[in-house]
Amino acid sequence: MIDRIKALLRQVETLEAHSAEELEALRIKYLSKKGEIPSLINDFRDVAAEQKREVGKFLNELKEKTQDRINELKERFEQGQTGNRTFDLTRTAYPAPSGTRHPLSIVKKEICDIFGRLGFSIAEGPEIEDDWHVFSALNFAEDHPARDMQDTFFIRHHPDVVLRTHTSSVQTRVMERQQPPIRIICPGRVYRNEAISYRAHCFFHQVEALYVDTNVSFADLKQVLLFFAKEMFGANTDIRLRPSYFPFTEPSAEMDISCVLCGGKGCPFCKHTGWVEILGCGMVDPNVLDNCGIDSQIYSGYALGMGIERITNLKYLVKDLRMFSENDIRFLQQFEAAN
């Protein structure tokens, strides 16, 4: 019986049909109730018990290969093909347009590449976070305004669970499980409970950087910021640092760059100041290091954070933040050359 099965296997491998009628005849010959394979299955009952396992294996293989070959020939006819592959006559005569990367993805990659050349690695974390990693570990006071419902999305029935308001929560997670040296950037989406307008949205994207080691100083931070600004906006870009306040850094600063349009001379875009704000930064507060299990008597560090939408606006002069999330193909096609 095995010889009969092997002979049929060789036949099945070379089956061809040049019309639907021929294909139906093959199906009837091999797979119908009175066909070759059902006939073999009926004879299988008379096979000796010690041979049933081997014969059954060949019989199953024959049935599967026959069905596969019939389906393959049928698919050819359904696609308007016989024998060799031909042109698909149902395909449109116009080439399908290729897609492009989103402008935010383009800018995020550029930012990550710049910091990557400085030795920073990428770290990621959950968008649904707990109060500790988003606020408490970062030195936010219990009555800090950022904890208020006006700024933060809280998960219903879980007052300690929030949608992260910044990617600093990734920094706290990394510091909890890793001892210095730490050199990371944290790109990701964040959420704020704000009214949607041309200049604000309830979700946006950030990239934050963190460097913790021994003897890290504000001078180190300034050199990184200067390098980033010149790589991102051009070699002639100047920076300035203004004192500011953030709960998780001390001292803190905000960084401006010379206006990309007027070169610092003053124009409506920079409100005739010659400067445009792009990010916040500072030395990591010792309390934050201690909260995360890092000895602030030995280690110090700096952190910085920027909105990707803000940087994209500066590079491409996009005036309405809502355009980034509307997926208007006319808007996205403008960035084909940047891919």
Side-chain angles (χ1 to χ4, degrees):
M1 187 173 182
I2 291 179
D3 291 338
R4 288 173 58 194
I5 295 174
K6 288 183 177 180
L8 282 176
L9 272 171
R10 289 192 291 271
Q11 290 180 27
V12 166
E13 290 172 354
T14 59
L15 288 181
E16 289 291 347
H18 302 288
S19 66
E21 290 76 13
E22 290 183 16
L23 179 61
E24 179 63 13
L26 290 175
R27 188 193 67 79
I28 293 173
K29 177 181 178 181
Y30 290 99
L31 297 174
S32 66
K33 281 188 177 182
K34 296 183 180 181
E36 299 275 2
I37 295 176
S39 177
L40 284 173
I41 292 174
N42 288 334
D43 294 342
F44 181 72
R45 291 175 296 186
D46 301 327
V47 174
E50 63 273 12
Q51 294 182 324
K52 279 186 177 295
R53 182 172 182 178
E54 182 181 8
V55 174
K57 178 182 176 182
F58 280 104
L59 196 55
N60 287 333
E61 182 183 357
L62 172 62
K63 185 177 179 182
E64 290 177 5
K65 286 192 173 182
T66 304
Q67 188 64 63
D68 289 345
R69 185 59 179 170
I70 295 294
N71 290 340
E72 180 184 346
L73 294 173
K74 182 180 179 182
E75 187 176 345
R76 288 186 185 180
F77 289 117
E78 290 177 348
Q79 294 179 351
Q81 299 174 339
T82 56
N84 295 328
R85 198 173 189 85
T86 60
F87 293 108
D88 181 2
L89 299 179
T90 65
R91 184 175 178 180
T92 177
Y94 301 98
S98 59
T100 65
R101 285 190 298 155
H102 195 280
L104 295 180
S105 297
I106 296 171
V107 173
K108 182 180 77 170
K109 182 179 184 302
E110 189 172 353
I111 295 172
C112 291
D113 287 345
I114 293 171
F115 280 96
R117 296 200 297 273
L118 293 172
F120 286 78
S121 59
I122 295 176
E124 296 179 330
E127 294 182 10
I128 300 177
E129 266 289 9
D130 55 58
D131 179 277
W132 169 257
H133 291 99
V134 175
F135 297 126
S136 298
L138 290 167
N139 210 34
F140 280 83
E142 289 292 336
D143 57 351
H144 195 280
R147 294 175 179 266
D148 192 270
M149 285 291 292
Q150 298 302 314
D151 292 319
T152 305
F153 286 109
F154 289 84
I155 304 301
R156 181 177 293 181
H157 306 309
H158 297 278
D160 291 332
V161 180
V162 302
L163 298 182
R164 66 183 183 189
T165 59
H166 46 198
T167 54
S168 302
S169 58
V170 181
Q171 298 178 22
T172 57
R173 286 186 174 273
V174 171
M175 286 190 287
E176 281 180 339
R177 65 175 184 265
Q178 178 182 333
Q179 284 296 301
I182 299 171
R183 195 192 299 258
I184 58 170
I185 55 173
C186 314
R189 183 158 55 183
V190 298
Y191 305 85
R192 302 276 177 88
N193 191 2
E194 296 183 1
I196 298 175
S197 67
Y198 76 96
R199 57 181 298 176
H201 211 293
C202 62
F203 70 86
F204 53 99
H205 301 78
Q206 283 187 337
V207 173
E208 299 193 23
L210 172 71
Y211 177 42
V212 180
D213 205 344
T214 56
N215 301 318
V216 178
S217 69
F218 203 96
D220 299 318
L221 170 60
K222 183 178 179 181
Q223 289 305 310
V224 167
L225 294 173
L226 182 61
F227 177 83
F228 168 75
K230 290 183 177 296
E231 290 293 302
M232 193 73 189
F233 299 103
N236 295 324
T237 304
D238 293 325
I239 69 170
R240 74 174 183 182
L241 297 172
R242 295 176 287 105
S244 186
Y245 166 77
F246 304 109
F248 36 84
T249 54
E250 179 58 39
S252 303
E254 290 181 342
M255 186 181 96
D256 304 331
I257 61 168
S258 52
C259 180
V260 295
L261 290 186
C262 65
K265 297 178 182 178
C267 68
F269 183 76
C270 62
K271 299 179 181 178
H272 301 284
T273 64
W275 299 96
V276 180
E277 177 191 336
I278 67 166
L279 59 81
C281 59
M283 301 300 295
V284 179
D285 192 294
N287 289 336
V288 174
L289 296 175
D290 293 333
N291 288 340
C292 295
I294 295 176
D295 190 343
S296 61
Q297 299 298 314
I298 300 175
Y299 298 104
S300 57
Y302 61 71
L304 61 96
M306 69 194 84
I308 299 178
E309 282 85 349
R310 178 66 169 167
I311 305 299
T312 307
N313 279 341
L314 293 174
K315 285 186 70 70
Y316 299 116
L317 303 181
V318 179
K319 297 180 180 179
D320 192 335
L321 279 178
R322 292 169 294 191
M323 299 180 73
F324 290 128
S325 56
E326 289 178 349
N327 290 324
D328 188 328
I329 192 170
R330 297 168 298 178
F331 170 70
L332 299 177
Q333 285 174 340
Q334 299 177 49
F335 300 89
E336 289 179 348
N339 282 267

